[in-house]
Amino acid sequence: MSRRRLSDDERALWGGFARGVTPLRRGVGGALEPVSDRAAHETPPVQSGPKEKQPPALAQFDRRLRQRVARGHLAIDVRLDLHGMTQKQAHAALLHFLTQAQAQDAKLALVVTGKGIGGAAGSASERGVLRRQVPLWLSLPEFRRFIVSFQQAHASHGGEGAMYLRLRRRPR
């Protein structure tokens, strides 16, 4: 079986993901240890410019917060519906949406991706492309500066086809 080639969007997505990964190396006895642990044993590499500040890591979405939102005790500040968009359109719309939501000091967002179209057996691999891609995008550094955490929404807000996003405060 031959492998298919990545599209430009997929290649850009992978590049963004790969930039946020810390490589591992083999330690004594074949165990893996993070590269950062190696710094105590070796001299650090020379950096050729100002160090970029990495966005904070994603936190766990609080179970109690999800319950409060699902039950209607906590309001969703902003909503975005990505139905009918291509990956490129959805990526741009999501980035613009998060920028605007942060500027409005929104705390909680709902992003609806849809569950995908159930079609012929051959299209099963393409079902719910945005539903699969949006969580990957949200894990990238370009989106982490906007969100604290995210989780699949309750059935009352779209279930598998939607996500709750806890938003970061805008930098002062």
Side-chain angles (χ1 to χ4, degrees):
M1 177 188 274
S2 64
R3 291 185 148 181
R4 72 175 182 83
R5 298 205 181 265
L6 295 177
S7 69
D8 291 337
D9 289 339
E10 291 169 328
R11 199 172 298 114
L13 179 63
W14 178 252
F17 174 77
R19 280 191 297 275
V21 174
T22 303
L24 297 174
R25 73 173 187 103
R26 295 255 177 220
V28 179
L32 294 175
E33 62 182 69
V35 171
S36 59
D37 293 345
R38 180 174 46 180
H41 306 295
E42 300 174 5
T43 57
V46 177
Q47 294 184 352
S48 62
K51 184 178 178 181
E52 286 186 30
K53 183 179 179 187
Q54 286 283 44
L58 290 173
Q60 291 282 32
F61 200 92
D62 186 16
R63 181 182 61 86
R64 303 272 319 237
L65 176 66
R66 184 176 186 268
Q67 284 179 343
R68 290 177 57 211
V69 174
R71 292 176 182 163
H73 296 253
L74 187 64
I76 295 171
D77 299 318
V78 289
R79 299 167 192 259
L80 173 67
D81 191 344
L82 300 174
H83 277 107
M85 293 187 189
T86 64
Q87 287 186 56
K88 189 174 186 177
Q89 292 169 335
H91 187 275
L94 184 59
L95 196 56
H96 178 73
F97 168 76
L98 291 173
T99 304
Q100 295 299 317
Q102 193 177 58
Q104 297 170 8
D105 289 327
K107 294 177 183 165
L108 189 65
L110 177 70
V111 174
V112 179
T113 60
K115 295 180 184 178
I117 300 171
S123 67
S125 64
E126 292 298 316
R127 184 169 188 252
V129 174
L130 292 179
R131 184 180 77 180
R132 288 191 319 268
Q133 290 297 336
V134 169
L136 296 175
W137 294 342
L138 294 174
S139 300
L140 295 174
E142 68 179 310
F143 287 98
R144 284 200 326 249
R145 63 188 168 119
F146 296 111
I147 64 169
V148 174
S149 60
F150 63 92
Q151 185 177 27
Q152 178 180 314
H154 185 268
S156 64
H157 288 121
E160 293 178 5
M163 304 187 83
Y164 297 132
L165 279 63
R166 221 171 88 208
L167 303 174
R168 289 190 195 285
R169 292 183 177 190
R170 64 180 160 182
R172 302 281 177 206

